[in-house]
Amino acid sequence: MLQNNLSSQRRSSVGVQVGSVQIGGGAPVVVQSMTNTDTVNETATVEQVAQLARAGSELVRITVNSMEAAQAVSGIRARLDDMGCHVPLVGDFHFNGHKLLTSYPDCAKALAKFRINPGNVGKGKKRDEQFAILIEMACKYDKAIRIGVNWGSLDPEMLARIMDQNANSADPQDASYVMREALITSALESAEKAEEIGLNRNKIVLSCKVSGVQDLIGVYRDLAARCDYALHLGLTEAGMGSKGIVASTAALSVLLQEGVGDTIRISLTPEPGGSRSREVIVAQEILQTMGLRAFVPLVAACPGCGRTTSTYFQELAESIQAYVRDEMVVWREQYVGVENMSLAVMGCVVNGPGESKHANIGISLPGSGENPVAPVYVDGEKMVTLKGDNIAAEFRQIVDQYVSEKYQRKVS
């Protein structure tokens, strides 16, 4: 019921084609991410783009900030294609994008979308001219653009104008209103200029990013009420670890529930040595737990209590979740619908059998003082009881067998 309610609410009716991926226009909410490699280092960038794509990023943004980076883009695209990785690339341009796109046409051709920030495309009289060049390049090469407004880099002249208008009004609003209005005005006026220059609205995605949860919700509610452009969601700096995950989930879930947003990115600060792919997994899990999309079988597991003094069920739940995520790289190419499979790994007899019966495949491990056996349920029926030291491997075999028997093979 939730999925039907969500899908019937507002999302942009304007579809924006970005390579092989559609944003808005009735398409599912798209997951994207961004590399943190130096784009000049083609090998490192190719490896990270491929890693993000394997994790499920449907668009990957790369930094294009110098002549050397612009020169590297076409080589990166070619090497990815040679690997069979055809994920669309988005070029992230600030300050000098107009020069780079005009000077390096191979860069422009290799990218599927340009991301530009109206707050730093130029200063004074050069702003409109340099913005126009960026839009003309998008028109020339038939590329989509994202007009991405950030509250940390608003056009100071435009911000001053909004502040003056507010101060001179009969009912002046507070500072948060001025900030929201400046973000939205920048995005909408820039989109209007882009259309006047010749870019079709089905080539335009808008974003208005801030770092605060309530600010983000307020900005996007207002923006969605005032336009039908495709919208990209995300906190501009979510933070590290659980803070970043919680903040992103809190903000984006509210907006997605209201039907706002056509593509999302979770801007996590990577922990030292951590994988960049984590932001992709978090984005997928937000969409999947809300019933908007399915990417990979999710594992239900109990939190543990005094009945579960062993950590075995935790270790099994973690290994099974990792296993199905790794196997999905192959399964999604071979089978239809396997991403909707549900699994349960439970730690004792209280909820174990019942929860296991609700999943496609569930295992109820013994708690403290319980018999050292683990019944496995398949589609609600007890299939087998596992025991001994090989439970994890045997459970994986049951999962593999279920996938091969229950899901239709794709026609090659």
Side-chain angles (χ1 to χ4, degrees), residues 304-319:
C305 65
R307 292 177 177 268
T308 55
T309 53
S310 169
T311 61
Y312 187 75
F313 83 95
Q314 299 162 315
E315 294 161 3
L316 181 60
E318 182 179 43
S319 69

Side-chain angles (χ1 to χ4, degrees), residues 5-51:
N5 287 342
L6 285 167
S7 62
S8 66
Q9 293 179 24
R10 182 220 179 269
R11 300 207 190 280
S12 174
S13 62
V14 179
V16 179
Q17 199 68 32
V18 182
S20 59
V21 175
Q22 181 174 310
I23 299 172
V29 178
V30 171
V31 172
Q32 59 180 283
S33 56
M34 184 177 183
T35 59
N36 61 356
T37 57
D38 183 351
T39 306
V40 177
N41 186 337
E42 290 189 29
T43 298
T45 303
V46 167
E47 289 175 356
Q48 191 172 86
V49 170
Q51 178 191 55

Side-chain angles (χ1 to χ4, degrees), residues 210-225:
V210 297
S211 296
V213 170
Q214 295 296 341
D215 290 327
L216 192 85
I217 293 169
V219 166
Y220 274 93
R221 279 175 172 165
D222 290 350
L223 180 62

Side-chain angles (χ1 to χ4, degrees), residues 288-340:
Q288 186 153 351
T289 55
M290 292 189 69
L292 284 167
R293 290 190 66 181
F295 298 94
V296 63
L298 296 181
V299 179
C302 67
C305 65
R307 292 177 177 268
T308 55
T309 53
S310 169
T311 61
Y312 187 75
F313 83 95
Q314 299 162 315
E315 294 161 3
L316 181 60
E318 182 179 43
S319 69
I320 287 297
Q321 183 69 78
Y323 178 73
V324 296
R325 184 167 286 279
D326 289 342
E327 289 300 300
M328 272 303 296
V329 176
V330 176
W331 288 344
R332 71 167 56 97
E333 299 298 325
Q334 295 182 345
Y335 300 100
V336 177
V338 68
E339 65 274 6
N340 295 300

Side-chain angles (χ1 to χ4, degrees), residues 131-185:
F131 179 83
I133 291 171
L134 289 164
I135 301 305
E136 288 165 0
M137 291 297 100
C139 294
K140 179 177 180 179
Y141 296 107
D142 194 29
K143 305 296 182 179
I145 65 161
R146 171 157 70 93
I147 296 173
V149 184
N150 282 355
W151 72 340
S153 54
L154 283 167
D155 174 1
E157 293 180 8
M158 186 273 304
L159 179 59
R161 170 164 56 90
I162 300 295
M163 293 175 67
D164 288 344
Q165 290 173 351
N166 182 64
N168 294 327
S169 70
D171 184 23
Q173 304 297 310
D174 60 19
S176 63
Y177 165 83
V178 174
M179 181 271 294
R180 288 198 305 271
E181 188 62 23
L183 286 162
I184 293 167
T185 298

Side-chain angles (χ1 to χ4, degrees), residues 43-175:
T43 298
T45 303
V46 167
E47 289 175 356
Q48 191 172 86
V49 170
Q51 178 191 55
L52 292 167
R54 283 194 300 270
S57 184
E58 293 156 305
L59 299 174
V60 178
R61 183 158 45 111
I62 62 176
T63 298
V64 188
N65 61 337
S66 66
M67 295 184 295
E68 293 79 9
Q71 288 173 319
V73 170
S74 60
I76 291 168
R77 177 73 275 166
R79 290 171 68 172
L80 287 166
D81 289 339
D82 289 343
M83 295 168 56
C85 179
H86 303 298
V87 63
L89 295 178
V90 180
D92 192 58
F93 295 97
H94 296 276
F95 307 108
N96 59 354
H98 60 291
K99 292 181 179 178
L100 297 178
L101 287 171
T102 52
S103 299
Y104 300 97
D106 287 346
C107 171
K109 294 173 185 176
L111 296 169
K113 185 172 72 168
F114 310 153
R115 189 273 188 176
I116 61 175
N117 183 342
N120 59 33
V121 296
K123 295 181 179 180
K125 295 179 180 179
K126 292 184 177 180
R127 179 177 290 109
D128 288 346
E129 175 188 344
Q130 292 173 182
F131 179 83
I133 291 171
L134 289 164
I135 301 305
E136 288 165 0
M137 291 297 100
C139 294
K140 179 177 180 179
Y141 296 107
D142 194 29
K143 305 296 182 179
I145 65 161
R146 171 157 70 93
I147 296 173
V149 184
N150 282 355
W151 72 340
S153 54
L154 283 167
D155 174 1
E157 293 180 8
M158 186 273 304
L159 179 59
R161 170 164 56 90
I162 300 295
M163 293 175 67
D164 288 344
Q165 290 173 351
N166 182 64
N168 294 327
S169 70
D171 184 23
Q173 304 297 310
D174 60 19

